[in-house]
Amino acid sequence: MRFHTIISEFRDKLESSQGKEDITKADIDAFYNKLDNINFSFVLFSKYYQKFIANLNRLKPQPEDKNPDLTLLRVALAENEWKPTTPFSIFVHHLKYDNKITSKAFIAYQKRQNRKKLNAPVATTKEVEKPKKSEKWTRVPIPRHHAKK
């Protein structure tokens, strides 16, 4: 739960400072230090947490940047069903996609549902027919001889 609290606190801080420059380099460094100091030795799904932290470390602003751009960090920390942070949602994500036994059944179920959506009969729409012209083409005579220059 410690991982989720660190992420959610910094996420809230990022959202509250949109447009303002309330977040300093010290805040960013403190956030990354907290993430790096978490001990995952006796934690379930430690690989997930380590991959998440490695991805966030890629987006860490450089120390020489005076005004770091935090948009990528905002996107990476945004609440998303594909990258959960709460322990229970990580467990469910692991069962759905990472565990070999349960993921095969769940992914097959998702494929069936998506195939049903794609193959559903589409309501046929009436094509707008062009009105038929009652007039026939008129023939315009073209002179056979052209003026010679």
Side-chain angles (χ1 to χ4, degrees):
M1 197 64 178
R2 184 174 175 215
F3 177 77
H4 174 68
T5 55
I6 292 170
I7 297 286
S8 61
E9 286 173 0
F10 193 72
R11 183 186 303 147
D12 294 339
K13 194 179 286 189
L14 276 175
E15 289 174 2
S16 66
S17 71
Q18 288 230 312
K20 303 174 191 171
E21 292 301 324
D22 291 344
I23 296 194
T24 62
K25 287 185 182 182
D27 294 335
I28 296 171
D29 290 338
F31 168 69
Y32 279 105
N33 286 336
K34 285 180 187 177
L35 281 180
D36 291 336
N37 291 332
I38 296 176
N39 186 7
F40 293 113
S41 58
F42 299 109
V43 177
L44 288 175
F45 316 119
S46 62
K47 287 183 183 178
Y48 176 84
Y49 292 114
Q50 290 169 352
K51 286 180 183 178
F52 198 99
I53 291 172
N55 187 33
L56 288 178
N57 283 332
R58 284 185 324 112
L59 303 172
K60 185 176 182 177
Q62 298 298 322
E64 61 268 2
D65 290 342
K66 292 184 180 181
N67 294 323
D69 189 18
L70 301 176
T71 53
L72 288 177
L73 192 58
R74 281 189 180 104
V75 170
L77 290 176
E79 192 90 25
N80 190 347
E81 69 175 298
W82 300 108
K83 46 184 179 175
T85 57
T86 59
F88 181 72
S89 58
I90 290 173
F91 175 70
V92 170
H93 183 270
H94 179 74
L95 286 178
K96 286 181 178 179
Y97 302 107
D98 295 337
N99 189 346
K100 289 182 180 179
I101 297 170
T102 56
S103 67
K104 286 182 181 179
F106 182 75
I107 291 173
Y109 172 75
Q110 275 189 329
K111 283 182 180 179
R112 274 195 313 267
Q113 295 302 318
N114 290 336
R115 199 173 303 123
K116 283 181 185 178
K117 288 178 188 176
L118 290 174
N119 295 334
V122 179
T124 57
T125 58
K126 291 184 178 180
E127 293 182 16
V128 179
E129 295 180 12
K130 295 182 181 178
K132 295 181 179 177
K133 294 185 178 183
S134 61
E135 300 176 11
K136 291 186 178 181
W137 289 89
T138 57
R139 205 165 172 189
V140 178
I142 299 176
R144 291 185 183 223
H145 56 82
H146 295 288
K148 294 181 181 179
K149 293 184 183 179

